[in-house]
């Protein structure tokens, strides 16, 4: 890369220095990409990805204040800054040592005054992206279409009461899928920020749900038509910007997909800050989606439990990362999904190096989570205790319940013979103490 094009001057490729002291934050102390754990390289368990919108488009503006983050790549006319932004992003990915990135169509190329113009902008920028991908080996984890920012989408995109708007969203997704194919994206995400309602009085909920399902069916059909191989993902979120979003949480989305016969075509992209907004614990939706074979990818971030909104902070809590990685290892990995940092530096973290520090800290937090989860699973103590807890389903009447052949009459006969079950301790504190031993 030519010297004048360097944006992160003075920052080298981030090294792995396990002996680094507490004040040294520009190196990995736990993340060692090539190290093999449980038969797989750390980078392949973790599949880290940097998101474009927060890290390269974010300005630090909030509803109460102006931008605080002045990024050199966002200066100049829209297409010129789009090209600079892309070069800055690839410099960042390379120096950080992350192999994947994610973006919305409108993050990488500005919206034009017509669909044709927007598409031309996308064509030009994705030509450059393809070049940079080939040069660096960096790949697209997922692409998504921004179907929520433009005023035309204020009443929804796929659930808009006006089919003209739905058609615009469809045209945009068609182009998004073409771009996904061109760039070899491994996944494609649908996040329905405005697919929901602010008032039931003006909303035909049943019609909107059906339209959304039919919209997804069009996307599946087009994906198959163009031979796009990537995995489709829906990202649940309960609210914000809508008062109520249809994709409320993991179980609502799974129910929706099954109701409309779409479950074979989609998995879920779980974002823990959305999970906690839905009133669940951090790991809840990851565990629920995984249990039903529907966990496809993770937007790895965190909120502040004391706040009621989506703060998109970098995930730094080792307990959380350990639980997430335990679930991911148990399901055999996240591929073709990954851990995408849908997270933004605070508006007060104004130095360019803060962008590195944030990602390095979160990657190390996940590397520690991975190492802890591996120890938990290799020791097998917790797994053994859980297995023992359910051991009554391994024989006799329990075996019949397990394989689905038992009847209520048999339940009654069993109780007549065996009477009252004995009280068995759940041992929660014992599990918690053992878990704490590993973190
Ligand atoms: C919004 C959010 C989005 C999606 C992609 O809360 O998480 O950035 O990840 O549209
Ligand atoms: Co997200």
């Amino acid at each position: 890369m030519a010297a004048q094009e360097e944006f992160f001057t003075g920052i080298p490729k981030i090294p792995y220095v396990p002996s680094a002291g507490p004040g040294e934050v520009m190196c990995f102390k736990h993340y060692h990409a090539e190290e093999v754990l449980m038969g797989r390289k750390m980078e392949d368990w973790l599949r880290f990805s940097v998101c474009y919108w927060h890290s390269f488009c974010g300005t630090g503006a909030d509803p109460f204040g102006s931008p605080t983050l002045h990024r050199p790549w966002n200066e100049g006319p829209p297409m010129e800054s789009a090209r600079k932004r892309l070069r800055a992003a690839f410099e960042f990915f390379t120096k950080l040592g992350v192999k994947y990135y994610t973006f919305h169509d409108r993050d990488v190329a500005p919206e034009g005054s017509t669909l044709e113009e927007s598409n031309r902008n996308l064509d030009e920028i994705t030509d450059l992206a393809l070049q940079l991908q080939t040069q660096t080996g960096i790949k697209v984890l997922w692409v998504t279409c921004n179907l929520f920012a433009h005023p035309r989408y204020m009443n929804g995109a796929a659930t808009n009461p006006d089919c003209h708007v739905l058609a615009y969203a469809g045209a945009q997704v068609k182009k998004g899928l073409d771009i996904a194919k061109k760039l070899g994206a491994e996944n494609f995400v649908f996040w329905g920020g405005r697919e929901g309602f602010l008032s039931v009085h003006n909303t035909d909920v049943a019609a909107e749900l059906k339209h959304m399902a039919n919209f997804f069916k069009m996307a599946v059909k087009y994906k198959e038509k163009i031979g796009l191989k990537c995995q489709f993902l829906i990202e649940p979120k309960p609210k914000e910007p809508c008062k109520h979003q249809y994709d409320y949480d993991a179980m609502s989305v799974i129910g929706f997909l099954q109701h409309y016969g779409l479950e074979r075509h989609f998995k879920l992209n779980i974002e823990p800050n959305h999970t906690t907004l839905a009133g669940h614990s951090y790991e809840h939706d990851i565990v629920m989606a995984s249990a039903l074979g529907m966990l496809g990818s993770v937007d790895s971030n965190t909120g502040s439990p004391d706040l009621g909104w989506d703060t998109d902070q970098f995930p730094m809590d080792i307990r959380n990362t350990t639980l997430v990685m335990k679930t991911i290892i148990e399901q055999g990995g996240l591929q073709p999904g990954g851990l995408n940092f849908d997270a933004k530096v605070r508006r007060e973290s104004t130095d360019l190096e803060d962008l590195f520090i944030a990602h390095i800290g979160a990657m190390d937090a996940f590397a520690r989570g991975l190492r802890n989860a591996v120890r938990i699973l290799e020791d097998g103590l917790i797994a053994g205790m859980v297995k023992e807890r359910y051991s009554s389903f391994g024989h006799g009447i329990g075996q019949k319940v397990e394989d689905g052949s038992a009847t209520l009459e048999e339940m009654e006969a069993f109780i007549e013979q065996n009477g009252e079950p004995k009280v068995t301790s759940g041992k929660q504190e014992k599990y918690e103490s053992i878990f704490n031993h590993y973190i």
Side-chain angles (χ1 to χ4, degrees):
M1 201 168 278
Q4 72 270 23
E5 285 180 322
E6 197 170 350
F7 293 94
F8 301 96
T9 44
I11 298 181
K13 171 126 181 28
I14 304 302
Y16 170 58
V17 188
S19 60
E24 294 168 71
V25 289
M26 288 293 276
C27 59
F28 298 112
K29 297 171 204 168
H30 305 274
Y31 178 58
H32 191 204
E34 296 288 316
E35 189 178 328
V36 174
L37 295 173
M38 287 183 108
R40 197 177 287 187
K41 286 184 191 170
M42 284 184 96
E43 66 174 4
D44 296 330
W45 278 121
L46 296 161
R47 295 174 60 79
F48 289 129
S49 164
V50 172
C51 94
Y52 217 90
W53 52 101
H54 288 313
S55 291
F56 299 98
C57 307
T59 65
D62 73 9
F64 305 94
S66 311
T68 56
L69 307 175
H70 302 288
R71 307 304 199 197
W73 54 83
N74 283 335
E75 285 157 16
M79 279 302 277
E80 187 188 311
S81 75
R83 282 187 287 271
K84 278 199 288 189
R85 191 153 66 244
L86 194 66
R87 292 194 182 281
F90 272 79
E91 184 190 330
F92 183 80
F93 308 149
T94 310
K95 288 184 168 173
L96 188 62
V98 161
K99 291 205 170 140
Y100 289 96
Y101 71 112
T102 56
F103 64 91
H104 299 83
D105 48 0
R106 303 302 180 237
D107 303 335
V108 290
E111 176 137 11
S113 52
T114 61
L115 181 68
E116 290 77 11
E117 193 190 338
S118 303
N119 288 353
R120 271 199 307 279
N121 291 347
L122 264 176
D123 288 338
E124 185 188 323
I125 296 296
T126 51
D127 282 348
L128 181 58
L130 197 53
Q131 250 178 42
L132 292 168
Q133 285 182 208
T134 313
Q135 270 167 33
T136 58
I138 288 157
K139 296 184 272 190
V140 177
L141 184 71
W142 50 260
V143 179
T144 187
C145 287
N146 184 327
L147 304 176
F148 46 89
H150 192 282
R152 81 172 75 83
Y153 296 127
M154 68 179 185
N155 291 305
T159 60
N160 199 290
D162 180 0
C163 189
H164 196 140
V165 179
L166 185 151
Y168 210 108
Q172 202 177 319
V173 166
K174 176 176 178 289
K175 183 68 180 176
L177 295 172
D178 290 335
I179 293 300
K181 180 159 189 213
K182 172 175 172 181
L183 297 182
E186 298 190 14
N187 303 268
F188 190 94
V189 164
F190 295 88
W191 171 61
R194 300 203 190 266
E195 315 296 19
F197 53 83
L198 286 104
S199 166
V200 277
H201 297 306
N202 66 2
T203 307
D204 184 341
V205 172
E208 291 198 356
L209 286 171
K210 190 166 90 183
H211 298 164
M212 187 160 80
N214 288 343
F215 187 86
F216 287 140
K217 286 177 186 171
M218 289 187 240
V220 169
K221 216 167 167 185
Y222 188 70
K223 174 191 179 211
E224 285 167 357
K225 180 178 164 189
I226 63 172
L228 171 62
K229 292 283 174 268
C230 76
Q231 171 173 271
F232 272 1
L233 299 166
I234 294 182
E235 182 175 327
K237 186 174 182 183
K239 55 188 168 190
E240 204 195 301
C242 278
K243 171 182 143 86
H244 172 81
Q245 278 172 220
Y246 293 129
D247 300 329
Y248 193 92
D249 62 1
M251 293 306 278
S252 325
V253 174
I254 292 169
F256 167 86
L257 289 171
Q258 289 185 346
H259 182 80
Y260 291 100
L262 282 160
E263 70 277 10
R264 275 191 312 110
H265 301 287
F266 289 82
K267 284 197 174 172
L268 271 51
N269 180 38
I270 299 296
E271 179 167 325
N273 198 167
H274 297 176
T275 307
T276 52
L277 273 182
H280 303 306
S281 63
Y282 186 91
E283 67 280 1
H284 179 275
D285 272 10
I286 287 180
V287 171
M288 296 305 281
S290 182
L292 297 183
M294 294 294 279
L295 178 64
S297 202
V298 176
D299 265 6
S300 40
N301 67 4
T302 188
S304 271
D306 49 343
L307 290 176
W309 66 91
D310 195 12
T311 55
D312 285 336
Q313 290 164 233
F314 280 85
M316 298 285 186
D317 185 307
I318 312 299
R319 174 201 170 274
N320 289 341
T321 59
T322 303
L323 275 174
V324 171
M325 288 318 299
K326 179 171 174 282
T327 307
I328 289 174
I329 298 173
E330 282 170 339
Q331 72 162 35
L334 210 46
Q335 63 287 347
L339 297 175
N340 173 52
F341 292 116
D342 187 353
K344 58 186 174 207
V345 291
R346 301 302 85 195
R347 74 191 290 269
E348 304 80 10
S349 301
T350 49
D351 294 338
L352 274 188
E353 72 159 15
D354 293 328
L355 210 48
F356 276 95
I357 294 171
H359 282 88
I360 295 166
M363 288 164 75
D364 256 358
F366 263 97
R368 284 177 71 179
L370 171 63
R371 290 181 188 281
N372 294 343
V374 165
R375 287 168 55 223
I376 292 172
L377 293 167
E378 282 183 343
D379 275 8
L381 181 58
I382 292 178
M385 284 163 58
V386 173
K387 190 161 178 241
E388 177 55 29
R389 193 161 184 241
Y390 292 85
S391 58
S392 64
F393 289 89
H395 51 85
I397 191 81
Q399 181 67 59
K400 294 195 81 179
V401 172
E402 190 70 29
D403 63 30
S405 65
T407 64
L408 288 184
E409 290 85 336
E410 286 171 318
M411 300 294 113
E412 185 184 46
F414 181 83
I415 295 305
E416 279 166 4
Q417 219 180 345
N418 294 280
E420 196 63 32
K422 78 172 169 47
V423 172
T424 311
S425 171
K427 296 262 176 254
Q428 177 175 327
E429 301 78 4
K430 182 176 176 185
Y431 282 87
E432 289 167 343
S433 302
I434 295 174
F435 180 81
N436 280 350
H437 171 85
Y438 293 101
I439 60 175

